[in-house]
Amino acid sequence: TFLRKHNHTFITTATATAAMSFYASGNVGGTSSSADSGDLPKALRRKLQMLGYPEIGEVKVATESYSKLVLWLEEEKIRFYEPRQRKGLRDFGNNWLTALSRYAQELDIPSDRILTGEDEAKLRVLNGLVNSAVQDVYRDKLEDQSLVLSMPPKPVSGGLDGKPQLQELLPDLNRLLEQYSLPKLPAGAADTETIAALQCLKTRMCHVGKGRVELDLENLPIAAAIDDPEVRKAAGMLRLLHNIEMGQLQVNVNQVLNELQQLTANPKTDAKLGKVGT
């Protein structure tokens, strides 16, 4: 329990932030219509099915079944509280939302407007709790070395009723892919393929190159009095090449000194510090 309380600060912050953005954008697999009817979004139902909740079809946001689900998540999966501390979550009375708000805050899950009883706020908190439970189950299986990874039978497209939600990005995304000589996405591509294409573009666009250095050869000091501008530029280029050669020569001399002093068991040259001699 001690480890869970302290690890939840790191585990739930990212998932809670993602959940808040997810629900705020309206892309929750039918948040508005689902919240109005009291049903859970499809994404939440999938995660509850994975967690093994026995009464998924009976959960309504505006009924006591929501409270029972939250209590089940705490008692069976999250286990953040000691048993005696769960009294507030077990009492489904008028103060239950206050206990839920305090519980969510301790788990670093956003609980804005939860005290108003709004369905959207309750869904946001429930999504954060379910994500925390999934994290706990994953961590337990990882520690027990009982985690079995398998590929899904088909790509997960996400969204309401399995429909892709990122189709509007395809035209602009395909133009960028073509510009970088990458394969374009087909029409109706799954959201997972769209995200993978965005990651490929990010890798290409964020590649750090050597860059380009602008040199003013006319004002480059060459240690010689030359009036002809063309000859001065040529002398400047020769000076630059000479400096490069001298720098490489110094590196080679340092390496030879280092190797020789290793052979004589008197290593006064530390190549890592760039220091030669005592």
Side-chain angles (χ1 to χ4, degrees):
T1 302
F2 177 81
L3 290 176
R4 286 182 182 276
K5 287 187 176 183
H6 287 76
N7 286 338
H8 265 288
T9 301
F10 301 98
I11 292 174
T12 62
T13 300
T15 55
T17 303
M20 184 169 57
S21 302
F22 187 53
Y23 280 97
S25 63
N27 296 327
V28 293
T31 300
S32 300
S33 60
S34 297
D36 293 340
S37 63
D39 294 332
L40 296 181
K42 185 176 180 180
L44 268 177
R45 292 199 300 270
R46 284 201 304 264
K47 286 183 279 190
L48 287 173
Q49 184 178 5
M50 186 277 296
L51 291 172
Y53 187 64
E55 302 176 354
I56 299 176
E58 301 178 8
V59 177
K60 303 292 182 181
V61 177
T63 65
E64 191 174 287
S65 59
Y66 176 88
S67 305
K68 292 180 179 179
L69 172 56
V70 171
L71 180 61
W72 181 85
L73 288 170
E74 163 57 23
E75 291 186 334
E76 299 295 332
K77 302 299 178 181
I78 301 177
R79 301 187 297 277
F80 182 74
Y81 281 158
E82 296 287 348
R84 56 184 174 80
Q85 296 177 307
R86 298 170 186 160
K87 182 179 179 181
L89 294 177
R90 293 194 182 102
D91 184 6
F92 302 151
N94 296 331
N95 296 325
W96 187 82
L97 286 178
T98 302
L100 175 60
S101 177
R102 182 169 56 252
Y103 177 58
Q105 290 175 6
E106 292 187 39
L107 291 175
D108 291 330
I109 295 175
S111 57
D112 300 337
R113 305 193 312 274
I114 189 64
L115 295 179
T116 64
E118 295 181 9
D119 288 348
E120 184 179 353
K122 294 172 73 174
L123 281 174
R124 186 185 305 116
V125 171
L126 179 59
N127 186 73
L129 294 175
V130 171
N131 287 340
S132 298
V134 171
Q135 291 278 1
D136 285 339
V137 171
Y138 175 81
R139 184 178 54 195
D140 291 343
K141 288 183 176 294
L142 195 63
E143 292 175 354
D144 297 340
Q145 297 183 350
S146 59
L147 184 65
V148 179
L149 300 178
S150 59
M151 294 292 293
K154 58 181 180 179
V156 179
S157 57
L160 181 62
D161 297 328
K163 296 180 181 179
Q165 301 295 300
L166 303 177
Q167 290 297 300
E168 60 182 11
L169 299 180
L170 289 183
D172 296 333
L173 185 57
N174 279 332
R175 283 197 291 270
L176 287 173
L177 291 171
E178 184 178 7
Q179 182 177 353
Y180 284 93
S181 301
L182 294 172
K184 295 191 293 185
L185 293 174
D191 287 348
T192 49
E193 296 176 344
T194 304
I195 294 174
L198 289 171
Q199 292 174 340
C200 290
L201 284 174
K202 179 182 177 182
T203 302
R204 287 291 183 90
M205 297 174 70
C206 296
H207 177 69
V208 180
K210 295 182 179 180
R212 183 179 178 182
V213 179
E214 298 290 341
L215 292 178
D216 187 1
L217 295 178
E218 294 181 356
N219 296 324
L220 189 69
I222 57 175
I226 301 177
D227 295 331
D228 191 323
E230 295 300 326
V231 177
R232 183 177 179 82
K233 289 182 181 180
M237 292 298 300
L238 291 175
R239 173 69 68 179
L240 288 175
L241 293 174
H242 176 69
N243 288 340
I244 294 174
E245 291 291 337
M246 292 299 294
Q248 186 61 45
L249 176 62
Q250 182 65 55
V251 171
N252 294 338
V253 170
N254 292 344
Q255 184 176 359
V256 171
L257 289 175
N258 188 45
E259 293 176 354
L260 288 175
Q261 290 180 351
Q262 288 179 359
L263 292 175
T264 58
N266 187 18
K268 293 183 179 180
T269 300
D270 191 344
K272 295 181 180 179
L273 298 178
K275 183 179 179 181
V276 180
T278 57

